[in-house]
Amino acid sequence: MADTAVLGVQWGDEGKGKIVDFLAKDADWVVRFQGGTNAGHTVLVKGKKHILHLIPSGIIHGGKKCIIGNGVVVDPPELLKEMDTLRKEGIEVEGRLFVSERAHVIMPYHKKLDALSEKLKGSKQIGTTLRGIGPAYSDKMARGGIRMQDLLRPQRLREKLEEALKVKNLLIGEFFGEEGYDLEGLYQEVLSWSKGLKVYICNTHSLIRRLVDSGASILFEGAQGAMLDIDHGTYPYVTSSSTTVGGVFTGAGVPPSTVDRIIGISKAYTTRVGGGPFPTELDGEEGQMLRERGGEYGATTGRPRRCGWLDLVALRYAAWIDGLTEVAITKLDVLDAMDRIKVCVAYDIEGERTQEMPGDLELFSKAKPVYETFPGWRGKVRGVTGWQDLPSQAKEYLEYLEEFLGVPIGMVSTGPDREETIVR
Ligand code: GDP
Ligand code: IMO
Ligand code: MG
């Protein structure tokens, strides 16, 4: 199998976990390259549900090995918890998971600052997952971050924590008026994480290089989606990492030539969690139907997801940035309930029709969707595993999407279980 990247091309929760799990059978290694515990990837195998936040979804397949790359931000206690859950499910992690020594650590003060700065924003809240993602990536970029390798160097760890707390305690204590952190207490807490993690932390750069050179088959598992990308998404209502294809190369440390199959995952409709504009959002009964039928409640925070029709303008924008070679459409079965299905093919912005994604959020907030309408197929897609067995209306819908996007649809997901998948 060619090395493959699986990327979300909407606002996250497209079903990346399901598709990665499906494809992992043909891969040797699965690599996460960005994001952190903000991600929630659900894998359903024969009715058994697994939710992964940091560990690549490939771990569910016995025999596959996994890497948490340098571009990920790691919350060590959460990682330990996730390992524990997997072990209880009979999935061994030791010897199968490798964590980059360069990956940055989400510290308790990052989570506190995430919450405090959201509160400060009032009505302009981003609606983050409160997992400390923004503050951790900020520290990385400002060159004040703690890295996984620091957990293995007590003296250096202490010095770095002392340095960090000078600023954090000033901010948390003086500005926000909350209780800061005691150096000794925090140092001991962080050291206690090291015990359980030291066997996993390594130089994943040389590991990946050996894998690539030896021709191993690697699957790169994206988190979030293109519209949440720090550069290309709906800034500031985005996450703090590169969720588009460039993130694979910086976040795993591989050259672009490594990846020749780039699969964009999109639902057959759209969802979004948190704040920010969403032109095709449905407030009424149809939106409620999508939410209930699609089980659209966050895998990480349990928040109800905002639901709407598929936005092809946004999708085509993402497809180009990611250089998609293929699209996988998930949750087609959710549309089984619909009498009619709409897709957004252009925006009307201040009376002007456009198919371009505005870079100015104020303009994007004014975008009114221009729709194409398709007839529904009522109850015939759930669990279908062959393209030829799809109802003709569903095939017409999918063929319209691929023509609009200029990218072939290679896979269709017709249910949450691994088996409920069409490979075209
Ligand atoms: P991810 O973050 O992209 O991995 O997606 P999530 O796991 O957060 O959300 C996708 C949800 O949809 C999960 O509950 C999946 O089990 C479920 N799911 C994935 N594919 C399908 C599908 O084709 N049909 C249905 N009904 N559910 C699906
Ligand atoms: P997966 O990998 C959906 C959203 C949050 C918020 C914004 C910023 O499961 O698709 P953050 O905590 O990252 O600072 O939050 O991004 N968000 C996601 N939405 N799926 C995700 O991950 C998300 N990760 C972050 O809701 O709007
Ligand atoms: Mg998710």
Side-chain angles (χ1 to χ4, degrees):
M1 188 169 113
D3 285 346
T4 301
V6 172
L7 305 172
V9 284
Q10 299 176 297
W11 278 280
D13 301 327
E14 297 90 348
K16 298 174 292 292
K18 144 128 199 196
I19 299 294
V20 167
D21 170 68
F22 182 83
L23 293 172
K25 64 181 186 310
D26 298 321
D28 305 310
W29 288 76
V30 184
V31 180
R32 271 278 304 269
F33 53 89
Q34 47 71 232
T37 37
N38 48 350
H41 297 178
T42 314
V43 175
L44 196 69
V45 187
K46 296 194 166 53
K48 173 104 187 75
K49 191 190 234 183
H50 308 268
I51 298 179
L52 286 317
H53 300 285
L54 272 169
I55 300 178
S57 304
I59 204 79
I60 305 301
H61 278 270
K64 308 296 172 185
K65 293 189 176 179
C66 296
I67 294 174
I68 293 179
N70 58 276
V72 175
V73 283
V74 179
D75 185 333
E78 291 300 319
L79 178 57
L80 288 164
K81 231 193 277 172
E82 204 166 311
M83 289 172 168
D84 221 42
T85 306
L86 286 168
R87 264 185 222 113
K88 286 189 185 125
E89 291 168 346
I91 298 167
E92 192 38 68
V93 180
E94 203 174 322
R96 299 180 57 210
L97 178 70
F98 301 82
V99 181
S100 171
E101 61 186 357
R102 292 170 191 250
H104 279 247
V105 179
I106 298 177
M107 299 296 292
Y109 49 75
H110 289 137
K111 287 185 268 193
K112 185 173 261 185
L113 284 168
D114 197 354
L116 290 171
S117 56
E118 277 286 272
K119 207 163 142 200
L120 192 68
K121 287 194 174 90
S123 66
K124 293 201 168 73
Q125 274 187 12
I126 295 167
T128 74
T129 59
L130 303 178
R131 297 300 191 267
I133 304 298
Y137 275 116
S138 300
D139 273 356
K140 170 179 175 172
M141 289 310 190
R143 295 153 295 181
I146 312 277
R147 299 197 288 178
M148 291 304 282
Q149 56 185 272
D150 299 326
L151 302 191
L152 310 179
R153 302 269 184 280
Q155 179 62 29
R156 188 164 82 200
L157 173 68
R158 203 189 163 90
E159 285 165 18
K160 288 184 107 177
L161 280 177
E162 191 172 3
E163 212 42 44
L165 283 190
K166 280 183 201 157
V167 181
K168 302 302 173 199
N169 277 343
L170 200 67
L171 190 59
I172 293 168
E174 299 296 314
F175 181 73
F176 285 108
E178 298 260 330
E179 201 180 334
Y181 292 83
D182 158 60
L183 174 62
E184 190 55 34
L186 186 61
Y187 171 66
Q188 291 303 332
E189 185 182 350
V190 177
L191 273 189
S192 75
W193 306 335
S194 319
K195 287 189 205 83
L197 289 176
K198 62 173 180 278
V199 298
Y200 299 96
I201 302 169
C202 63
N203 182 347
T204 56
H205 170 78
S206 40
L207 171 59
I208 292 184
R209 185 172 175 176
R210 279 199 306 277
L211 296 176
V212 171
D213 289 349
S214 68
S217 161
I218 308 173
L219 193 54
F220 296 94
E221 174 176 353
Q224 292 82 48
M227 301 308 289
L228 290 171
D229 184 277
I230 186 72
D231 285 282
H232 307 293
T234 47
Y235 191 90
Y237 297 96
V238 293
T239 190
S240 300
S241 65
S242 295
T243 62
T244 46
V245 72
V248 177
F249 313 124
T250 55
V254 293
S257 54
T258 313
V259 178
D260 43 16
R261 187 177 179 204
I262 307 168
I263 309 178
I265 317 297
S266 169
K267 284 177 190 173
Y269 51 96
T270 308
T271 63
R272 172 163 208 177
V273 209
F278 177 4
T280 61
E281 182 167 16
L282 291 165
D283 295 321
E285 201 185 315
E286 284 172 315
Q288 190 57 24
M289 240 156 113
L290 290 173
R291 188 171 309 108
E292 293 314 318
R293 278 193 55 90
E296 297 297 356
Y297 296 88
T300 296
T301 58
R303 288 179 291 176
R305 296 174 182 149
R306 300 157 67 191
C307 296
W309 297 119
L310 190 62
D311 183 340
L312 285 179
V313 179
L315 212 53
R316 183 154 68 181
Y317 166 78
W320 191 84
I321 292 171
D322 281 333
L324 297 185
T325 59
E326 194 176 322
V327 171
I329 297 291
T330 61
K331 306 191 91 158
L332 188 66
D333 56 297
V334 174
L335 298 184
D336 271 355
M338 298 299 183
D339 289 323
R340 54 163 199 186
I341 296 155
K342 292 188 181 184
V343 287
C344 169
V345 295
Y347 299 141
D348 182 318
I349 302 176
E350 295 176 328
E352 295 235 1
R353 203 170 158 145
T354 179
Q355 291 192 318
E356 290 294 318
M357 175 59 62
D360 182 330
L361 195 80
E362 235 176 273
L363 283 183
F364 187 57
S365 306
K366 292 180 186 161
K368 292 192 189 71
V370 178
Y371 286 120
E372 251 335 295
T373 303
F374 292 82
W377 48 80
R378 300 294 299 182
K380 298 201 186 76
V381 159
R382 178 69 193 248
V384 169
T385 56
W387 178 269
Q388 69 285 352
D389 301 324
L390 285 173
S392 59
Q393 299 94 323
K395 278 188 272 197
E396 275 157 33
Y397 178 68
L398 295 171
E399 280 158 4
Y400 181 86
L401 305 189
E402 66 184 353
E403 188 165 328
F404 191 101
L405 298 174
V407 182
I409 293 174
M411 295 169 73
V412 180
S413 175
T414 58
D417 206 274
R418 187 187 281 171
E419 311 299 326
E420 295 172 308
T421 311
I422 298 173
V423 178
R424 204 161 160 205

